[in-house]
């Protein structure tokens, strides 16, 4: 099947999403082996057709280059858009890694005999249709498509306009690969391009089960406000590191520095450093010096200013505690103890990732119980909160919501369960009249 | 503490919800034993102060009686409003049953060594603050309050205006019982009364983690449309029973009749009966006779009309397949086979409960995989889909959504998880530079 035959009519969003929905009903019934075969075929096709992908990517990059020169596109976005032979090989490798993960479907979560010959199973199944809206990076296409296929879900992708050609070719290759399997529907993956398409997609709460917006805080908020579809994502990432009074100084320096400077633009970077007053004198001047040496702008509370006044620290205001800098800027606050740190975090944090540096297991446990966040760490950089690092294989996104899935979300977040009840003609009447009572006997297997 | 001291200022909804939020942060840290002690104290208090509850309920009933006479309130609503000594004893018993359930918190869902001395745990924790809006039945107050306390959540209740006095006394007793424990916050349960309060509550997406509307389809839709808070609930319950060609006739009669007539007004009652054409002649005339004898109005497709024309069957229209009657009415359609039944259900069903009557395990499995519903049954009445019958102890509600929790939702639906990472000063830098690689070694315990 040629690429053009597979090209989507993006004019009719609802029709396309309905085709994805019908595909989802079929995907839900495919065996784990079949889903693996289809994934490996897709990985092979991406490698075999690398030249097409590179050619398309060059077209996108040529246009993007002009946009960079005219200031419409940032250099960072441009860098993320460009792919290479090596990038394509990595795409294929990632798909094979996802194929290798344990099957998330048909897992039995519980089994109970409600009464004689009346057995209830709770088993995992796919969500159905997942919508994912993302920017630039073309490797998101195979990443999301592989997670969706592995978990038996159809996926509606909407990429950035700047990656139009690359995304189109990647989706066409994916669909071509699926078309070799008569029982695997090609509409498992459909692609949209425009903002108008997104606006239409957000209205389709009867057809789409979950929407994953990957983008700016403003965009995530827009999606939540404009759709009845459940949303998995994160707006802000206001992460903290708290240095307790008993902290090992080296660990405190290492964790703080890595959390801030290892990759400042991402959501799991630290924005505010909280420091126990009893360790502040020993810790802060050196820490500030390290930040300054790494090119970090430091904003401090009054007590921080006293301790590091000569080191170019700027006074922090209330606004600083609420701010996701996404840049080489850190705010520092000296606190009276772990309780004040917890209060500050629960008030200003975005429930993403919070780390404590302490040698005390009890203090760490208290911090972890009281802090309301998806990821709570002891003596580790906030930058560890990530699907790959967590061993999930890949991630659909990171969720700071508290419903369904939290933190880095992999395959499991794309599944739900159904209850299957097997009887022999059982009716509710006799239980309701008190003639029979339930046994509720858990079955072990 | 007297009741009046506990009375809420409903004038400031946001302030009250914030108090519940602070209570939630404390609740999350209580031990399982402490939560059980508080639950048992609440159960005892409800029994000990039965006279107060009955007096309040009589006030509500007196007003409601007038409303029934003037036609403003249905007799069914009135019946659900009234409680009794026995009803109160049952409330206490249900609370003790919930206390007895396994602790849903601090359950370890996974444990993995990411690298040496870097261990990641995934553990269950409470959602935080749950809003529940319900009608009439005062026993919902202790039911929801006990599920919330057992799972470490604060709860914002909004009952019907007709149960104002009863609900107020029940919540006051609950809060008084908690006030005996210095570490258990009384604001674990707060109560609202008016529609204006609900409108305010729906705006508080920063303070409330989940909203459970228990009421009409219109009300659930209103909540979904007017709030950014995730919603757990069900709009319609359009449930089907499909009789396969190999069905045991007696099972087919029993399951169909129980699914329709055992309690027609509820969401898990059957609305449409689908019948394989090969069994229709043997099954339908007798089935229709049984329905008619039970006072059920029968609406049939053309083929049904042919087989049961003389039995007072009314022709069904397209509208009938989309209709939740919630009454003693059934629509019947003859289908060519299990595929047509599955297609009909996936098109018109509300993803609630779907049952097949067949002697074939293979056909049942196929039906269960292809049908997109929370509950899929073989040879059992649709009326079994219920938290008590499933052995969940109690239910917060039934969900036809596919995110977070599905079907009857008990304690587990009120929990989520957090990731806890324990390191020794680990930073991401060395992994990012390729100096170290992750081990991702699952830990068994």
């Amino acid at each position: 099947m040629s690429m053009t035959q597979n090209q989507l009519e993006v004019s009719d969003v609802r029709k396309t999403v309905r085709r994805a929905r019908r595909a989802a009903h079929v995907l839900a019934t495919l065996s784990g082996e079949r889903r693996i075969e289809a994934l490996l075929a897709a990985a092979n096709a991406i490698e075999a057709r690398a030249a097409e992908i590179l050619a398309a990517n060059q077209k996108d990059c040529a246009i993007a280059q002009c946009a960079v020169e005219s200031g419409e596109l940032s250099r960072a976005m441009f860098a993320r858009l460009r792919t290479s032979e090596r990038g394509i090989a990595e795409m294929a490798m990632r798909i094979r890694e996802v194929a290798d993960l344990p099957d998330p479907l048909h897992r039995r979560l519980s089994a109970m005999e409600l009464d004689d010959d009346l057995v209830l199973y709770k088993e995992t199944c796919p969500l159905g249709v997942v919508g994912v809206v993302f920017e630039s990076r073309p490797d998101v296409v195979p990443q999301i498509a592989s997670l969706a296929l592995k978990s038996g879900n159809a996926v509606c992708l909407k990429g950035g306009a700047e990656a139009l050609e690359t995304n189109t070719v990647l989706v066409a290759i994916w669909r071509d690969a699926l078309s070799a399997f008569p029982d695997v529907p090609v509409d498992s993956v459909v692609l949209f391009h425009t903002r108008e398409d997104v606006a239409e997609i957000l209205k389709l709460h009867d057809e789409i089960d979950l929407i994953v917006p990957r983008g700016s805080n403003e965009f995530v908020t827009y999606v939540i406000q404009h759709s009845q579809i459940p949303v998995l994502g994160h707006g802000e990432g206001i992460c903290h590191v708290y240095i307790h009074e008993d902290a090992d100084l080296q660990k405190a320096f290492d964790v703080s520095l890595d959390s801030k400077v290892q990759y400042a633009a991402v959501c799991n970077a630290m924005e505010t450093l909280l420091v126990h007053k009893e360790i502040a004198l020993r810790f802060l001047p050196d820490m500030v010096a390290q930040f300054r040496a790494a090119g970090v702008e430091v904003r401090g509370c009054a007590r921080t200013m006293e301790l590091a006044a000569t080191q170019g620290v700027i006074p922090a205001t209330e606004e600083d505690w609420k701010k996701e800098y996404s840049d080489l800027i850190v705010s520092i606050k000296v606190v009276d103890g772990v309780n004040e740190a917890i209060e500050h975090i629960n008030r200003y944090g975005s429930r993403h990732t919070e780390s404590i540096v302490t040698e005390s297991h009890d203090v760490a446990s208290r911090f972890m119980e009281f802090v309301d966040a998806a990821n709570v760490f002891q003596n580790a950089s906030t930058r560890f909160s990530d699907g790959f690092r967590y061993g999930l294989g890949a991630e659909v996104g990171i969720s700071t919501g508290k419903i369904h899935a939290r933190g880095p979300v992999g395959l499991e977040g794309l599944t739900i369960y159904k209850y299957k009840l097997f009887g022999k003609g059982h009716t509710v009447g006799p239980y309701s009249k008190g003639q029979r009572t339930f046994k509720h006997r858990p079955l072990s297997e």
Side-chain angles (χ1 to χ4, degrees), chain A:
Chain A
M1 203 183 284
S2 82
M3 229 189 74
T4 42
Q5 281 177 282
N6 269 333
Q7 215 118 44
L8 297 171
E9 287 173 29
V10 291
S11 59
D12 198 336
V13 174
R14 183 179 277 272
K15 264 190 203 161
T16 305
V17 174
R18 282 228 175 108
R19 286 208 306 270
R21 174 135 222 106
R22 280 196 297 274
H25 283 135
V26 178
L27 282 170
T29 67
L30 292 179
S31 71
E33 293 73 34
R34 199 60 168 162
R35 279 176 275 126
I36 290 174
E37 286 168 13
L39 282 165
L40 297 180
N44 293 342
I46 281 176
E47 278 180 337
R49 294 169 66 177
E52 287 173 53
I53 302 169
L54 286 175
N57 190 245
Q58 274 154 18
K59 279 192 221 167
D60 283 331
C61 286
I63 298 169
Q65 184 64 50
C66 302
V68 170
E69 279 158 23
S70 67
E72 288 164 66
L73 195 75
S74 71
R75 289 201 177 273
M77 285 278 264
F78 182 77
R80 288 161 63 201
L81 171 61
R82 187 188 284 284
T83 189
S84 61
E85 293 270 9
R86 187 165 155 260
I88 291 165
E90 229 173 69
M91 288 181 195
M93 187 190 74
R94 296 282 186 213
I95 298 167
R96 292 186 185 111
E97 281 174 8
V98 169
D100 267 354
L101 291 171
D103 191 352
L105 302 183
H106 310 296
R107 285 196 302 125
R108 196 159 277 179
L109 303 177
S110 73
M112 188 186 270
E113 210 172 24
L114 304 188
D115 194 0
D116 298 336
D117 288 325
L118 186 65
V119 182
L120 182 71
Y121 298 105
K122 186 179 179 183
E123 286 180 11
T124 59
C125 63
L127 286 177
V129 181
V130 179
V132 183
V133 186
F134 61 100
E135 286 170 345
S136 288
R137 282 173 37 199
D139 59 333
V140 172
V141 172
Q143 189 192 335
I144 299 291
S146 57
L147 286 170
L149 180 52
K150 180 76 185 180
S151 59
N153 288 283
V155 68
C156 301
L157 296 170
K158 153 70 177 73
E162 67 287 349
L164 175 76
E165 299 285 342
T166 320
N167 291 343
T168 303
V169 168
L170 279 167
V171 169
I173 292 173
W174 192 277
R175 290 165 57 94
D176 282 354
L178 298 191
S179 72
F181 300 83
D183 53 341
V184 182
V186 291
D187 288 318
S188 300
V189 181
V190 296
L191 178 67
F192 299 96
H193 294 287
T194 67
R195 282 176 190 219
E196 292 70 33
D197 291 346
V198 173
E200 277 302 304
I201 285 171
L202 295 184
K203 293 177 195 161
L204 303 177
H205 57 272
D206 291 335
E207 311 283 351
I208 297 176
D209 297 292
L210 180 69
I211 195 117
V212 184
R214 293 170 48 135
S216 67
N217 191 10
E218 292 69 35
F219 178 64
V220 175
T221 306
Y222 167 84
V223 169
I224 293 173
Q225 285 172 348
H226 289 82
S227 187
Q228 296 177 33
I229 305 171
V231 176
L232 188 148
H234 63 279
E236 293 176 306
I238 302 183
C239 306
H240 302 75
V241 173
Y242 163 61
I243 312 298
H244 194 54
E245 59 181 321
D246 71 345
D248 177 289
L249 277 181
Q250 194 55 51
K251 290 176 188 164
F253 293 136
D254 291 348
V255 168
S256 304
L257 199 66
D258 190 83
S259 296
K260 182 68 251 180
V261 309
Q262 201 270 333
Y263 193 176
V266 290
C267 59
N268 60 9
M270 169 181 72
E271 308 299 344
T272 300
L273 177 64
L274 302 168
V275 182
H276 193 290
K277 62 179 179 184
E278 296 298 337
I279 201 173
L281 183 60
R282 277 176 294 145
F283 170 72
L284 266 185
D286 199 354
M287 185 74 249
V288 170
Q290 291 189 37
F291 277 138
R292 301 293 291 145
V296 179
E297 177 183 322
V298 180
R299 305 182 186 178
C301 69
R303 289 198 271 187
T304 304
M305 296 295 290
E306 279 174 34
L307 291 169
T310 61
Q311 297 177 275
V313 177
I314 301 168
T317 67
E318 171 78 11
E319 284 311 300
D320 282 295
W321 315 132
K322 301 176 185 168
K323 184 87 181 153
E324 181 177 20
Y325 302 117
S326 300
D327 204 345
L328 286 176
I329 307 172
V330 71
S331 55
I332 303 181
K333 187 179 187 183
V334 175
V335 295
D336 287 344
V338 67
N339 288 345
E340 192 184 340
I342 291 165
E343 268 168 45
H344 182 99
I345 290 169
N346 282 344
R347 180 159 175 202
Y348 297 105
S350 60
R351 302 181 194 171
H352 193 300
T353 302
E354 308 295 347
S355 185
I356 183 171
V357 181
T358 176
E359 292 301 295
S360 159
H361 184 73
D362 284 356
V363 173
S365 297
R366 183 180 166 75
F367 178 87
M368 288 179 172
E369 289 308 319
F370 275 88
V371 162
D372 185 11
N375 310 280
V376 283
F377 295 176
Q378 180 189 14
N379 297 335
S381 165
T382 56
R383 292 274 297 116
F384 278 106
S385 59
D386 169 275
F388 286 105
R389 293 179 191 134
Y390 276 11
L392 304 180
E395 68 183 30
V396 186
I398 289 188
S399 167
T400 54
K402 293 169 82 174
I403 300 302
H404 186 64
R406 199 178 192 194
V409 179
L411 284 174
E412 217 177 292
L414 296 179
T415 67
I416 187 73
Y417 52 81
K418 27 167 99 164
Y419 284 103
K420 296 181 176 179
L421 181 66
F422 295 89
K424 295 262 197 273
H426 287 69
T427 57
V428 158
Y431 301 93
S432 169
K433 289 179 203 140
Q435 295 159 350
R436 286 201 72 89
T437 52
F438 288 101
K439 296 190 170 156
H440 293 141
R441 221 171 9 227
L443 297 176
S444 54
E445 287 159 88

